[in-house]
Amino acid sequence: MDYELIEARGTIIDQFMVLYHQILSSQKKFLINHGVTDITVQDVHILETISLSNKPTVSSLANVTSVTRGKITKGTMSVELKKLEKLGYIEREKSKQDRRVSYFALTPKGEAVMEIHDEFHEALNDKVAKYTSEVDTEVLIKSLDALIGSLDKIK
Amino acid sequence: MDYELIEARGTIIDQFMVLYHQILSSQKKFLINHGVTDITVQDVHILETISLSNKPTVSSLANVTSVTRGKITKGTMSVELKKLEKLGYIEREKSKQDRRVSYFALTPKGEAVMEIHDEFHEALNDKVAKYTSEVDTEVLIKSLDALIGSLDKIK
DNA sequence: AATAAAATGTTTGACAATCAAACAATTATT
DNA sequence: AATAATTGTTTGATTGTCAAACATTTTATT
């Protein structure tokens, strides 16, 4: 059976990879089950970033999103934001101070998607809580945090 | 600063996402630093799967790779394998029993890439060991394992 | 045996994501 | 004022991917 092949390695890193794609696939289904069919999980993540940011711009969104999604150019972000605006999930407001930039915000339609997204997040965190004790979770968060900062030292 | 925005959430799930992309980006740099420039991290992962599999075929590789990378069709895998063959990283041998299938194996050039990949894996595991105690690692693996199986129950 | 069904792999056409570079508009620096 | 830097948009090319059509071969059914 194929699964054995994965287990044979058994390192945390491999499990991360599997878990990552499972979360993504699970989230995809969740969104579709809740009627969100015209945008992707990654689009939802942009909505999330907008909702958590203070006066987000094209560039700031490209930078922040890079952290959780891998490098993204401002050109790509510009295109994605235009799409999300056209679909009615976000709106832009021109800055008064700097006439080159616009600030983005969620529309009610965008907020609705965020609620669905938060539901998923809660369900996921419940799973984590169920399969990891509170103490372990604490330890885990600290470990990951330290790990995250140390990766760029690998040469 | 942007990083605060990520930390504000502070859930394990968010850290997974960040960590995942950091590992990917770190691995990418590592490969380039070691002279592997004509194939991607995902290609290397296919090489890894081939090296760990017993008589891998197009279909079996498509299935196994789906677990760690998300759904992949056999058509896509067929194209990717053709590319890796043309670049000299793998070779195929026709099956005697079933004349539709071929089995894939690494060439010496492919093995060399795997050694580089293993080096990265070791460096990564060293980091994990450094920032996570042995007991915690044990706990962690078990938690993740349980978590992985439970995700498709989210509706 | 003959025929139908299933499995394996390849190819193809279309589509979506992305980048890098060119560009325009605006702001900052000298 | 003149030049440089920043911000955002657009564009053309590239890449990754899928779904479907297809050919070949094997397995099942009649």
Side-chain angles (χ1 to χ4, degrees), chain A residues 63-88:
Chain A
N63 289 333
V64 174
T65 307
S66 290
V67 176
T68 44
R69 183 175 148 183
K71 197 98 207 82
I72 282 178
T73 64
K74 59 198 165 120
T76 299
M77 184 54 76
S78 177
V79 170
E80 294 215 48
L81 291 172
K82 194 165 70 174
K83 181 186 94 179
L84 289 173
E85 191 185 8
K86 178 168 274 178
L87 288 171

Side-chain angles (χ1 to χ4, degrees), chain B residues 86-148:
Chain B
K86 178 169 275 177
L87 288 172
Y89 290 101
I90 62 175
E91 58 196 355
R92 71 177 75 202
E93 186 194 6
K94 283 197 178 297
S95 165
K96 287 288 178 187
Q97 302 88 41
D98 187 335
R99 276 153 50 195
R100 290 170 302 183
V101 323
S102 293
Y103 299 124
F104 294 87
L106 300 189
T107 61
K109 188 178 175 185
E111 299 278 8
V113 171
M114 275 314 296
E115 272 179 41
I116 293 168
H117 174 262
D118 285 346
E119 250 183 78
F120 177 80
H121 241 270
E122 273 173 44
L124 207 50
N125 282 330
D126 284 353
K127 291 286 178 196
V128 174
K130 189 172 174 187
Y131 290 107
T132 315
S133 82
E134 211 166 302
V135 180
D136 292 339
T137 306
E138 199 73 23
V139 168
L140 189 40
I141 289 181
K142 285 207 182 98
S143 302
L144 293 189
D145 200 38
L147 192 53
I148 285 173

Side-chain angles (χ1 to χ4, degrees), chain A residues 25-113:
Chain A
S25 134
S26 179
Q27 192 166 10
K28 198 173 169 181
K29 283 181 207 154
F30 190 87
L31 286 169
I32 291 172
N33 285 346
H34 288 72
V36 181
T37 56
D38 56 352
I39 54 177
T40 68
V41 172
Q42 297 200 321
D43 291 330
V44 173
H45 190 253
I46 292 177
L47 296 184
E48 184 186 16
T49 307
I50 290 174
S51 85
L52 293 174
S53 300
N54 180 250
K55 303 227 172 224
T57 66
V58 172
S59 294
S60 81
L61 287 171
N63 289 333
V64 174
T65 307
S66 290
V67 176
T68 44
R69 183 175 148 183
K71 197 98 207 82
I72 282 178
T73 64
K74 59 198 165 120
T76 299
M77 184 54 76
S78 177
V79 170
E80 294 215 48
L81 291 172
K82 194 165 70 174
K83 181 186 94 179
L84 289 173
E85 191 185 8
K86 178 168 274 178
L87 288 171
Y89 291 100
I90 62 175
E91 58 196 357
R92 72 176 74 201
E93 185 194 6
K94 282 198 179 298
S95 165
K96 288 286 177 189
Q97 300 88 42
D98 187 335
R99 277 155 49 199
R100 291 169 301 183
V101 323
S102 294
Y103 299 124
F104 294 88
L106 300 191
T107 61
K109 188 177 176 185
E111 301 277 9
V113 171

Side-chain angles (χ1 to χ4, degrees), chain A residues 120-132:
Chain A
F120 177 80
H121 242 270
E122 272 172 44
L124 208 51
N125 283 330
D126 284 353
K127 290 286 178 195
V128 173
K130 189 172 174 185
Y131 291 107
T132 315

